[in-house]
Amino acid sequence: MASVIDTARADSPEPSEDLPRRGRLIRFRGSRLGGLILALNLLSLLILLGGALALNEWSTGLIQARQESLLGQAELLSKVLSDKEYTRGEPLPELNRDQSAKVLIDRFVSAGQRARIFDRDGVLLVDSFDVSDTIEGEPLPPAHPAGTPASPEPVDQKAAERLQRATVALDDEILAALAGVPQTTVRRSENGDRVVSVSLPIRHVQQVLGVLTLEAGDVDKILGAQRRALVPFALVALGVNLLASLLLHLFVARPVLRLAAAADQVRLQRARAISLPDLEDRRDEIGDLARSLESMTETLSARMDAIERFAADVAHEIKNPLTSIRSALETLDLVQDKDKRDRLTAVLQQDVRRLDRLITDISNASRLDAELSRDRPRPVDLAALLTEIVGVYETTGKPGEAPVTLDIAVDAPARVMGRDGPLGQVFRNLIDNARSFSPTGATVRLAVRRDESDALLPLRIAVEDDGPGIPPENLETVFERFYTSRPRGAAFGSNSGLGLSIVRQIVEAHGGRVTATNRLDASGSVKGARFEVALPTVGRRA
């Protein structure tokens, strides 16, 4: 279909220059919204990760500090207990239980710590909880009313298992310390609390008299406080995630729903275009989408208008020969003279040929858009294409027809990115148009040259004839559909007026430009017409 709308080039290697320019900001794979959402999500994750790492590092440091502190205290107490004052028996000394108990009373044992002394057989001698005021236990249950029979206490299986595991872990630690190896461990106590434990052998000279175990059970309380301190980090991360979700809803989901509703409105109400100014002003992907949809609907609207105009032009052009045919047929039966009947028959034949030419050209014009969008552009050697076309004219030329010459004035290959079929049609139409206006003995000349004054369209192909030229006021209208101004003597109906319109449509679809001018002599008189096609070369925007 002939149309003034530029044919879309979806397979063009580069985007069209009239598309909206995107910003030059750093974005995630070219997406502003994607980068923003990713940044917010990463920020929330980093907040949680930073808090967790800080707590984990602090927990490890706390345990190490506790172990070092307990180790220092245990070394001091073990040296004190190794003195003769706290041992008895010769020649095999052993720890004095009563004296050792005084050490745990007299020496400072911090709150939250527990010290125990075991003999060389691993038997508990002294427990700081037994010789101090510290009582380990849980609050008593509420009192029952007077006279209530006592109920047997339920057996806590989990507590029994926990006590067994704690006893086994402590025994293993004591046995390792009795072997002369100091122990620093983190284990569970009898009530299930995590404790940092240090066990050191008590030596008299080289003989191991027992083991001193020093425990700190306040690690879980401190870590619990730190976990509670992590709650603000989690709340901030949650807030950031909620903000990211809200932004995703406000700036992506809702605008997309609005665009979908606008598209449905175009479909249901037969509107011509989508117009959402508040979205089109956005400088992100949603704005690009809104502008693209508006541009697409405006292009479709313009194409529909062109179709309507084309249909009206076609109806008008077809109506003329049909009216002539109907009038001739109505008159034919009334004419008795043979010469007049022959003239009417000749008119009918001319109108039929005109209709045939019109229908053929209309069909070619209507298929042009589909052909341009279906064929994939590829490099075309324009010099070789023109040489082949001119060779066909030389081979098929008839006596009296203007010959066609070709002058290629370019050194490098004249290669353009396009489709050889439509490009060939451009120059055949221009050559046929020039020959139809050329007088007897004239020549149609083709010239290929470069003009670097226009960097975007450096390749120029000119088609010149020696005809009467073009009226100055029609230098632009000659490219309109169904425009024709034939010289006297030309066969009636031999031209449809679509040839030059098809030329402009194809050239502009290839990113080029076609213009018409008159050739003038030294005195300023018109000596022919000149059509020039300017095209981009391979490697330039098409």
Side-chain angles (χ1 to χ4, degrees), residues 187-409:
R187 54 180 174 80
R188 294 289 175 178
S189 64
E190 292 83 350
N191 57 5
D193 294 335
R194 183 167 58 168
V195 296
V196 177
S197 176
V198 174
S199 294
L200 294 181
I202 303 173
R203 299 178 184 273
H204 182 74
V205 190
Q206 295 297 327
Q207 186 177 3
V208 177
L209 303 181
V211 174
L212 170 65
T213 299
L214 196 59
E215 302 173 354
D218 58 352
V219 176
D220 282 342
K221 294 180 181 178
I222 299 176
L223 291 179
Q226 292 302 313
R227 290 191 181 94
R228 289 190 293 275
L230 184 62
V231 172
F233 291 94
L235 293 178
V236 171
L238 178 61
V240 172
N241 268 325
L242 291 177
L243 177 61
S245 301
L246 181 62
L247 290 176
L248 182 65
H249 173 71
L250 292 178
F251 295 108
V252 178
R254 288 184 60 184
V256 169
L257 289 176
R258 290 183 60 194
L259 288 173
D264 290 338
Q265 184 178 10
V266 171
R267 176 176 58 88
L268 297 176
Q269 300 182 5
R270 298 183 182 275
R272 283 299 184 96
I274 293 176
S275 181
L276 298 173
D278 56 331
L279 295 182
E280 295 161 12
D281 293 337
R282 289 177 51 170
R283 309 309 301 175
D284 54 20
E285 289 73 17
I286 299 299
D288 291 343
L289 177 60
R291 288 187 292 272
S292 297
L293 286 177
E294 182 177 13
S295 176
M296 179 190 69
T297 53
E298 288 177 351
T299 302
L300 290 176
S301 177
R303 190 174 294 273
M304 292 170 62
D305 292 338
I307 291 174
E308 293 175 357
R309 291 194 301 270
F310 183 72
D313 292 341
V314 168
H316 174 74
E317 291 297 322
I318 291 180
K319 187 175 182 180
N320 288 335
L322 285 179
T323 302
S324 176
I325 291 174
R326 183 178 60 186
S327 176
L329 289 176
E330 291 175 351
T331 309
L332 188 61
D333 292 338
L334 303 177
V335 176
Q336 302 297 326
D337 186 83
K338 184 178 182 304
D339 293 336
K340 294 182 179 180
R341 290 177 63 89
D342 291 340
R343 283 198 298 271
L344 285 176
T345 303
V347 170
L348 287 173
Q349 292 174 349
Q350 289 178 351
D351 288 335
V352 168
R353 287 194 298 271
R354 183 182 178 190
L355 276 177
D356 180 69
R357 179 60 182 265
L358 274 173
I359 293 172
T360 301
D361 288 347
I362 290 170
S363 176
N364 292 334
S366 63
R367 290 198 305 266
L368 185 58
D369 279 348
E371 292 177 358
L372 290 174
S373 62
R374 183 172 55 248
D375 293 341
R376 185 177 182 82
R378 54 186 176 273
V380 177
D381 189 346
L382 204 58
L385 178 64
L386 292 176
T387 302
E388 181 180 349
I389 292 174
V390 172
V392 171
Y393 278 99
E394 291 176 351
T395 304
T396 60
K398 298 178 181 179
E401 293 180 340
V404 181
T405 63
L406 175 62
D407 178 23
I408 301 177

Side-chain angles (χ1 to χ4, degrees), residues 489-517:
F492 179 76
S494 59
N495 295 276
S496 63
L498 287 174
L500 295 181
S501 173
I502 292 174
V503 166
R504 168 165 284 186
Q505 184 178 357
I506 296 175
V507 170
E508 291 182 350
H510 285 78
R513 180 180 67 244
V514 59
T515 56
T517 58

Side-chain angles (χ1 to χ4, degrees), residues 43-54 230 233-235 237-238 241:
L43 179 61
S44 64
L45 292 177
L46 288 176
I47 291 173
L48 281 179
L49 181 61
L53 290 177
L230 184 62
F233 291 94
L235 293 178
L238 178 61
N241 268 325

Side-chain angles (χ1 to χ4, degrees), residues 109-144:
V109 178
S110 301
Q113 294 182 358
R114 181 180 184 180
R116 284 182 280 190
I117 300 175
F118 299 87
D119 63 12
R120 64 168 55 93
D121 296 324
V123 178
L124 178 65
L125 293 180
V126 183
D127 190 337
S128 63
F129 282 0
D130 295 335
V131 298
S132 66
D133 295 334
T134 303
I135 300 176
E136 183 179 17
E138 298 178 354
L140 294 175
H144 295 286

